[in-house]
PDB file of all heavy atoms in Angstrom:
ATOM      1  N   SER E 135      14.387  19.749  -9.409  1.00 97.00           N
ATOM      2  CA  SER E 135      14.335  18.416  -8.788  1.00 97.00           C
ATOM      3  C   SER E 135      12.908  18.013  -8.426  1.00 97.00           C
ATOM      4  O   SER E 135      12.663  16.862  -8.062  1.00 97.00           O
ATOM      5  CB  SER E 135      15.228  18.350  -7.550  1.00 97.00           C
ATOM      6  OG  SER E 135      14.770  19.215  -6.531  1.00 97.00           O
ATOM      7  N   ALA E 136      11.942  18.934  -8.548  1.00 97.00           N
ATOM      8  CA  ALA E 136      10.545  18.577  -8.316  1.00 97.00           C
ATOM      9  C   ALA E 136      10.059  17.543  -9.325  1.00 97.00           C
ATOM     10  O   ALA E 136       9.052  16.874  -9.093  1.00 97.00           O
ATOM     11  CB  ALA E 136       9.659  19.820  -8.387  1.00 97.00           C
ATOM     12  N   SER E 137      10.788  17.383 -10.414  1.00 97.00           N
ATOM     13  CA  SER E 137      10.414  16.364 -11.408  1.00 97.00           C
ATOM     14  C   SER E 137      10.551  14.949 -10.853  1.00 97.00           C
ATOM     15  O   SER E 137      10.007  13.998 -11.428  1.00 97.00           O
ATOM     16  CB  SER E 137      11.277  16.516 -12.662  1.00 97.00           C
ATOM     17  OG  SER E 137      12.647  16.308 -12.351  1.00 97.00           O
ATOM     18  N   LEU E 138      11.285  14.790  -9.746  1.00 98.00           N
ATOM     19  CA  LEU E 138      11.428  13.482  -9.108  1.00 98.00           C
ATOM     20  C   LEU E 138      10.226  13.133  -8.243  1.00 98.00           C
ATOM     21  O   LEU E 138      10.099  12.004  -7.769  1.00 98.00           O
ATOM     22  CB  LEU E 138      12.689  13.449  -8.228  1.00 98.00           C
ATOM     23  CG  LEU E 138      14.014  13.796  -8.895  1.00 98.00           C
ATOM     24  CD1 LEU E 138      15.151  13.724  -7.880  1.00 98.00           C
ATOM     25  CD2 LEU E 138      14.293  12.882 -10.072  1.00 98.00           C
ATOM     26  N   LEU E 139       9.350  14.093  -8.050  1.00 98.00           N
ATOM     27  CA  LEU E 139       8.228  13.945  -7.129  1.00 98.00           C
ATOM     28  C   LEU E 139       7.005  13.404  -7.855  1.00 98.00           C
ATOM     29  O   LEU E 139       6.618  13.900  -8.910  1.00 98.00           O
ATOM     30  CB  LEU E 139       7.925  15.305  -6.509  1.00 98.00           C
ATOM     31  CG  LEU E 139       6.930  15.392  -5.357  1.00 98.00           C
ATOM     32  CD1 LEU E 139       7.407  14.585  -4.159  1.00 98.00           C
ATOM     33  CD2 LEU E 139       6.746  16.866  -4.963  1.00 98.00           C
ATOM     34  N   SER E 140       6.375  12.373  -7.263  1.00 98.00           N
ATOM     35  CA  SER E 140       5.155  11.816  -7.843  1.00 98.00           C
ATOM     36  C   SER E 140       3.895  12.427  -7.257  1.00 98.00           C
ATOM     37  O   SER E 140       2.821  12.307  -7.850  1.00 98.00           O
ATOM     38  CB  SER E 140       5.116  10.296  -7.643  1.00 98.00           C
ATOM     39  OG  SER E 140       6.089   9.667  -8.460  1.00 98.00           O
ATOM     40  N   GLY E 141       3.998  13.069  -6.089  1.00 98.00           N
ATOM     41  CA  GLY E 141       2.806  13.694  -5.536  1.00 98.00           C
ATOM     42  C   GLY E 141       2.907  13.933  -4.047  1.00 98.00           C
ATOM     43  O   GLY E 141       3.989  13.915  -3.456  1.00 98.00           O
ATOM     44  N   PHE E 142       1.743  14.137  -3.444  1.00 98.00           N
ATOM     45  CA  PHE E 142       1.662  14.503  -2.034  1.00 98.00           C
ATOM     46  C   PHE E 142       0.640  13.629  -1.309  1.00 98.00           C
ATOM     47  O   PHE E 142      -0.389  13.252  -1.876  1.00 98.00           O
ATOM     48  CB  PHE E 142       1.268  15.975  -1.888  1.00 98.00           C
ATOM     49  CG  PHE E 142       2.349  16.936  -2.333  1.00 98.00           C
ATOM     50  CD1 PHE E 142       2.436  17.323  -3.660  1.00 98.00           C
ATOM     51  CD2 PHE E 142       3.271  17.418  -1.430  1.00 98.00           C
ATOM     52  CE1 PHE E 142       3.425  18.197  -4.083  1.00 98.00           C
ATOM     53  CE2 PHE E 142       4.269  18.296  -1.835  1.00 98.00           C
ATOM     54  CZ  PHE E 142       4.352  18.683  -3.161  1.00 98.00           C
ATOM     55  N   VAL E 143       0.932  13.353  -0.046  1.00 98.00           N
ATOM     56  CA  VAL E 143       0.002  12.663   0.841  1.00 98.00           C
ATOM     57  C   VAL E 143      -0.676  13.733   1.688  1.00 98.00           C
ATOM     58  O   VAL E 143      -0.008  14.579   2.298  1.00 98.00           O
ATOM     59  CB  VAL E 143       0.742  11.634   1.715  1.00 98.00           C
ATOM     60  CG1 VAL E 143      -0.194  11.028   2.751  1.00 98.00           C
ATOM     61  CG2 VAL E 143       1.346  10.547   0.833  1.00 98.00           C
ATOM     62  N   LEU E 144      -2.018  13.693   1.714  1.00 98.00           N
ATOM     63  CA  LEU E 144      -2.808  14.764   2.315  1.00 98.00           C
ATOM     64  C   LEU E 144      -3.485  14.258   3.589  1.00 98.00           C
ATOM     65  O   LEU E 144      -4.396  13.427   3.521  1.00 98.00           O
ATOM     66  CB  LEU E 144      -3.865  15.236   1.316  1.00 98.00           C
ATOM     67  CG  LEU E 144      -3.339  15.496  -0.116  1.00 98.00           C
ATOM     68  CD1 LEU E 144      -4.472  15.916  -1.032  1.00 98.00           C
ATOM     69  CD2 LEU E 144      -2.216  16.540  -0.107  1.00 98.00           C
ATOM     70  N   PRO E 145      -3.055  14.737   4.760  1.00 97.00           N
ATOM     71  CA  PRO E 145      -3.531  14.170   6.028  1.00 97.00           C
ATOM     72  C   PRO E 145      -4.925  14.648   6.413  1.00 97.00           C
ATOM     73  O   PRO E 145      -5.413  15.690   5.963  1.00 97.00           O
ATOM     74  CB  PRO E 145      -2.501  14.678   7.028  1.00 97.00           C
ATOM     75  CG  PRO E 145      -2.063  15.996   6.457  1.00 97.00           C
ATOM     76  CD  PRO E 145      -2.074  15.804   4.967  1.00 97.00           C
ATOM     77  N   LYS E 146      -5.597  13.837   7.233  1.00 96.00           N
ATOM     78  CA  LYS E 146      -6.884  14.200   7.849  1.00 96.00           C
ATOM     79  C   LYS E 146      -7.841  14.784   6.814  1.00 96.00           C
ATOM     80  O   LYS E 146      -8.444  15.836   7.005  1.00 96.00           O
ATOM     81  CB  LYS E 146      -6.641  15.155   9.014  1.00 96.00           C
ATOM     82  CG  LYS E 146      -5.762  14.511  10.107  1.00 96.00           C
ATOM     83  CD  LYS E 146      -5.328  15.497  11.154  1.00 96.00           C
ATOM     84  CE  LYS E 146      -4.482  14.801  12.229  1.00 96.00           C
ATOM     85  NZ  LYS E 146      -3.205  14.236  11.704  1.00 96.00           N
ATOM     86  N   PHE E 147      -7.994  14.045   5.741  1.00 98.00           N
ATOM     87  CA  PHE E 147      -8.722  14.523   4.575  1.00 98.00           C
ATOM     88  C   PHE E 147     -10.224  14.447   4.789  1.00 98.00           C
ATOM     89  O   PHE E 147     -10.786  13.383   5.067  1.00 98.00           O
ATOM     90  CB  PHE E 147      -8.333  13.675   3.356  1.00 98.00           C
ATOM     91  CG  PHE E 147      -8.736  14.240   2.029  1.00 98.00           C
ATOM     92  CD1 PHE E 147      -7.866  15.036   1.305  1.00 98.00           C
ATOM     93  CD2 PHE E 147      -9.977  13.956   1.489  1.00 98.00           C
ATOM     94  CE1 PHE E 147      -8.221  15.542   0.066  1.00 98.00           C
ATOM     95  CE2 PHE E 147     -10.344  14.458   0.253  1.00 98.00           C
ATOM     96  CZ  PHE E 147      -9.464  15.263  -0.464  1.00 98.00           C
ATOM     97  N   THR E 148     -10.873  15.586   4.679  1.00 98.00           N
ATOM     98  CA  THR E 148     -12.330  15.694   4.639  1.00 98.00           C
ATOM     99  C   THR E 148     -12.665  16.639   3.494  1.00 98.00           C
ATOM    100  O   THR E 148     -11.766  17.193   2.856  1.00 98.00           O
ATOM    101  CB  THR E 148     -12.891  16.257   5.953  1.00 98.00           C
ATOM    102  OG1 THR E 148     -12.350  17.581   6.140  1.00 98.00           O
ATOM    103  CG2 THR E 148     -12.530  15.383   7.147  1.00 98.00           C
ATOM    104  N   GLU E 149     -13.931  16.841   3.232  1.00 98.00           N
ATOM    105  CA  GLU E 149     -14.292  17.787   2.165  1.00 98.00           C
ATOM    106  C   GLU E 149     -13.781  19.178   2.499  1.00 98.00           C
ATOM    107  O   GLU E 149     -13.196  19.861   1.634  1.00 98.00           O
ATOM    108  CB  GLU E 149     -15.809  17.802   1.976  1.00 98.00           C
ATOM    109  CG  GLU E 149     -16.268  18.681   0.818  1.00 98.00           C
ATOM    110  CD  GLU E 149     -17.761  18.551   0.567  1.00 98.00           C
ATOM    111  OE1 GLU E 149     -18.515  18.296   1.520  1.00 98.00           O
ATOM    112  OE2 GLU E 149     -18.172  18.701  -0.606  1.00 98.00           O
ATOM    113  N   GLU E 150     -13.959  19.609   3.724  1.00 97.00           N
ATOM    114  CA  GLU E 150     -13.548  20.953   4.112  1.00 97.00           C
ATOM    115  C   GLU E 150     -12.039  21.135   3.992  1.00 97.00           C
ATOM    116  O   GLU E 150     -11.552  22.143   3.477  1.00 97.00           O
ATOM    117  CB  GLU E 150     -14.007  21.241   5.542  1.00 97.00           C
ATOM    118  CG  GLU E 150     -13.658  22.645   6.031  1.00 97.00           C
ATOM    119  CD  GLU E 150     -14.125  22.904   7.455  1.00 97.00           C
ATOM    120  OE1 GLU E 150     -14.717  21.990   8.065  1.00 97.00           O
ATOM    121  OE2 GLU E 150     -13.892  24.019   7.955  1.00 97.00           O
ATOM    122  N   ARG E 151     -11.289  20.159   4.487  1.00 97.00           N
ATOM    123  CA  ARG E 151      -9.824  20.254   4.407  1.00 97.00           C
ATOM    124  C   ARG E 151      -9.299  19.848   3.042  1.00 97.00           C
ATOM    125  O   ARG E 151      -8.250  20.325   2.595  1.00 97.00           O
ATOM    126  CB  ARG E 151      -9.187  19.348   5.476  1.00 97.00           C
ATOM    127  CG  ARG E 151      -9.187  19.929   6.865  1.00 97.00           C
ATOM    128  CD  ARG E 151      -8.536  18.980   7.859  1.00 97.00           C
ATOM    129  NE  ARG E 151      -7.193  18.570   7.474  1.00 97.00           N
ATOM    130  CZ  ARG E 151      -6.082  19.269   7.723  1.00 97.00           C
ATOM    131  NH1 ARG E 151      -6.168  20.437   8.336  1.00 97.00           N
ATOM    132  NH2 ARG E 151      -4.905  18.806   7.364  1.00 97.00           N
ATOM    133  N   GLY E 152     -10.003  18.947   2.378  1.00 98.00           N
ATOM    134  CA  GLY E 152      -9.480  18.371   1.148  1.00 98.00           C
ATOM    135  C   GLY E 152      -9.492  19.305  -0.040  1.00 98.00           C
ATOM    136  O   GLY E 152      -8.564  19.296  -0.857  1.00 98.00           O
ATOM    137  N   VAL E 153     -10.533  20.115  -0.173  1.00 98.00           N
ATOM    138  CA  VAL E 153     -10.622  21.009  -1.329  1.00 98.00           C
ATOM    139  C   VAL E 153      -9.429  21.960  -1.401  1.00 98.00           C
ATOM    140  O   VAL E 153      -8.804  22.089  -2.464  1.00 98.00           O
ATOM    141  CB  VAL E 153     -11.966  21.770  -1.330  1.00 98.00           C
ATOM    142  CG1 VAL E 153     -11.957  22.867  -2.387  1.00 98.00           C
ATOM    143  CG2 VAL E 153     -13.128  20.803  -1.583  1.00 98.00           C
TER     144      VAL E 153
END
Side-chain angles (χ1 to χ4, degrees):
S135 65
S137 62
L138 304 180
L139 189 61
S140 290
F142 291 87
V143 173
L144 313 178
K146 299 171 179 63
F147 194 93
T148 61
E149 184 174 30
E150 182 180 0
R151 281 180 54 84
V153 170

